[in-house]
């Protein structure tokens, strides 16, 4: 009895049906598996714990369950076996964190939110410090952040981004609180108005095991929950965007700005989110680690048919992204290979780097 015996795609499809029928929690409990640490099987817009699916598929093909303790998940086990049967398995190394915003306790200045929305609309991110409540650990630079609006009629997902810093202490959000409080800097990549939130009830219904208790300033989601919520959120953003285009009350052109017809890659923000989940949040060439300006680059350009996948993507600073697009270097595996006529360049040394040496 071994993983190599699993080769029937139909058995995997039966395991996926069983997972859907029982639900994630009961499926894992029934067959003795834990949640996926990193690799998640994607099928028809849904996500599954890949190792558990392989073990149960073995049962449907051979009549014997392949127990969790007798084979590996990941790249040395379940992943290549599932991919050999033409299933998509994706890497989600980082989970995500849910933070809460209660406007009855703290008002986010409207003018600041409008600035961030404009920065996002122009294809960038808008950075903002955010309180983590009483939580002083467990959020790191690069983690996916989801912000939920609470405390009023509209309850639901209102913004998303990535942590642009580790947790640090700063002035407490409550004016009458004398001690500094823990914060992170967040590079927001999506922000909607309160009436356009993704309702809490829809998230609870679609994200397996979505937490309903938030102690210490938030709650962590695992990789599968993160992928599911990302997909749900993107669908919602697409609907909101289409509705805005058909809303006659919204101005088509902001005063003092001109407009032009441009070709915009709508998938680029999703591609960036995918790469930030799979790689360390730094430039693959120079190591520059400001999350706010890291960009998603295609190793094989998408204009030449290169897919927006982890394997074909690298996080780059704007300078090295432009250098790559200009053909000054190419990637050979994970190493940049510079053209003979090009001069290799790295990020300038920062004062704090000199002081620490």
């Amino acid at each position: 009895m071994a993983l190599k015996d699993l080769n029937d795609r139909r058995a995997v499809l039966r395991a996926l049906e069983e997972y859907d029928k029982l639900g994630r929690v009961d499926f894992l409990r029934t067959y003795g598996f834990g949640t996926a640490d990193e690799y998640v099987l994607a099928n028809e817009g849904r996500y599954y714990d890949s190792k558990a699916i392989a073990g149960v598929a073995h049962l449907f093909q051979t009549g014997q369950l392949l127990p969790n303790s007798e084979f590996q998940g990941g790249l040395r086990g379940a992943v290549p076996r599932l991919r050999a049967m033409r299933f998509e398995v994706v890497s989600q190394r980082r989970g995500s964190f849910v933070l809460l915003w209660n406007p009855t306790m703290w008002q986010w200045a409207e003018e600041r939110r409008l600035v961030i929305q404009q920065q996002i609309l122009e294809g960038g991110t808008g950075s903002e410090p955010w309180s983590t409540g009483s939580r002083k650990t467990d959020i790191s630079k690069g983690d996916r952040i989801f912000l939920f609006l609470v405390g009023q009629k509209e309850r639901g997902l209102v913004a998303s981004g990535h942590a642009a810093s580790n947790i640090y202490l700063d002035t407490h959000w409550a004016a009458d609180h004398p001690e500094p409080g823990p914060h992170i800097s967040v590079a927001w990549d999506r922000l909607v108005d309160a009436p356009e939130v993704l309702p809490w009830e829809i998230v609870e219904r679609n994200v397996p095991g979505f937490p309903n208790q938030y102690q210490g300033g938030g709650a962590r989601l695992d990789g599968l929950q993160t992928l599911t919520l990302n997909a749900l959120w993107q669908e919602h953003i697409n609907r909101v965007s289409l509705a805005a285009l058909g809303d006659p009350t919204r101005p088509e052109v902001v005063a003092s700005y001109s407009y032009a017809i441009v070709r915009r890659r709508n998938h680029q923000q999703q591609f960036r989110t995918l790469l930030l989940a799979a790689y360390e949040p730094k430039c693959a060439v120079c190591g520059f680690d400001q999350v706010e300006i890291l960009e998603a680059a295609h190793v094989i350009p998408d204009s030449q048919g290169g897919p927006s996948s982890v394997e074909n993507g690298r996080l780059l600073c704007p300078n090295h992204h432009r250098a790559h697009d200009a053909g000054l270097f190419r990637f050979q595996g994970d190493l940049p290979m510079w053209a003979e006529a090009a001069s290799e360049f790295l990020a300038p040394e920062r004062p704090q780097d000199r002081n620490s040496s």
Side-chain angles (χ1 to χ4, degrees):
M1 183 171 66
L3 182 62
K4 62 181 177 61
D5 300 327
L6 177 61
N7 55 25
D8 189 345
R9 181 180 168 85
R10 292 170 299 178
V12 178
L13 292 173
R14 284 188 62 191
L16 297 179
E17 291 174 3
E18 178 81 349
Y19 190 111
D20 290 338
K21 182 176 71 174
L22 296 179
R24 186 189 193 193
V25 173
D26 287 344
F27 181 89
L28 297 177
R29 183 188 300 121
T30 298
Y31 294 104
F33 286 88
T35 58
D37 291 331
E38 176 178 351
Y39 291 98
V40 177
L41 189 153
N43 186 65
E44 296 183 353
R46 301 186 60 129
Y47 299 95
Y48 304 82
D49 300 273
S50 57
K51 185 178 181 182
I53 290 296
V56 176
H58 190 279
L59 169 65
F60 288 134
Q61 180 175 336
T62 68
Q64 292 182 299
L65 175 69
L66 193 58
N68 182 45
S69 60
E70 294 193 14
F71 73 108
Q72 291 182 298
L75 293 176
R76 294 178 178 268
V79 172
R81 179 57 49 182
L82 291 167
R83 285 176 175 169
M85 291 180 283
R86 306 188 312 282
F87 286 100
E88 180 184 5
V89 184
V90 296
S91 170
Q92 182 71 21
R93 294 181 188 177
R94 295 178 178 274
S96 60
F97 213 87
V98 171
L99 295 177
L100 304 178
W101 171 33
N102 188 336
T104 65
M105 300 178 67
W106 180 79
Q107 283 292 327
W108 191 356
E110 182 178 5
E111 59 270 24
R112 180 58 191 155
R113 288 189 288 110
L114 290 174
V115 168
I116 291 174
Q117 285 180 327
Q118 183 63 34
Q119 290 170 329
I120 293 170
L121 187 63
E122 293 171 356
T125 61
S127 295
E128 189 87 343
W130 200 268
S131 168
T132 60
S134 61
R135 186 176 298 274
K136 297 181 180 180
T137 60
D138 202 31
I139 303 179
S140 301
K141 181 185 288 190
D143 282 353
R144 186 71 165 142
I145 302 296
F146 294 106
L147 183 67
F148 278 75
L149 183 64
V150 297
Q152 59 181 47
K153 181 178 68 175
E154 297 96 348
R155 294 175 69 252
L157 181 54
V158 68
S160 65
H162 290 87
S165 72
N166 296 331
I167 295 179
Y168 61 90
L169 294 179
D170 202 350
T171 304
H172 200 279
W173 60 267
D176 59 351
H177 199 288
E179 299 295 325
H183 292 72
I184 57 170
S185 176
V186 183
W188 301 111
D189 55 37
R190 293 286 188 271
L191 173 61
V192 299
D193 296 324
E196 298 168 336
V197 300
L198 174 59
W200 194 293
E201 297 75 17
I202 292 178
V203 174
E204 285 187 313
R205 190 162 62 245
N206 288 277
V207 179
F210 189 75
N212 53 24
Q213 293 186 346
Y214 298 84
Q215 298 177 349
R220 180 162 287 283
L221 304 181
D222 64 28
L224 185 146
Q225 292 169 325
T226 300
L227 285 166
T228 305
L229 185 53
N230 263 327
L232 199 65
W233 180 228
Q234 186 60 48
E235 289 176 5
H236 179 74
I237 290 295
N238 291 343
R239 287 195 296 270
V240 168
S241 300
L242 288 173
L245 289 174
D247 186 350
T249 66
R250 293 179 179 245
E252 293 183 6
V253 182
V254 179
S256 80
Y257 286 85
S258 61
Y259 69 93
I261 298 174
V262 298
R263 182 173 181 263
R264 176 175 293 167
R265 294 186 294 179
N266 295 323
H267 61 279
Q268 195 68 8
Q269 193 68 261
Q270 295 168 260
F271 186 35
R272 181 176 183 272
T273 297
L274 178 69
L275 297 187
L276 279 166
Y279 295 123
E280 289 300 309
K282 60 184 181 181
C283 175
V285 177
C286 67
F288 192 69
D289 62 355
Q290 293 300 119
V291 175
E292 301 96 317
I293 64 171
L294 288 177
E295 299 176 351
H298 292 78
V299 175
I300 301 173
D302 59 353
S303 60
Q304 298 177 18
S308 297
S309 65
V310 169
E311 295 78 12
N312 192 51
R314 298 292 186 274
L315 289 168
L316 296 177
C317 68
N319 282 347
H320 281 112
H321 194 175
R322 291 188 68 180
H324 182 263
D325 286 349
L328 299 183
F329 73 91
R330 59 183 175 81
F331 281 100
Q332 189 171 61
D334 290 330
L335 297 176
M337 306 298 293
W338 291 82
E340 290 185 8
S343 298
E344 180 178 356
F345 59 92
L346 298 175
E349 186 180 21
R350 293 175 289 182
Q352 59 266 37
D353 297 330
R354 291 196 295 270
N355 294 337
S356 63
S357 59

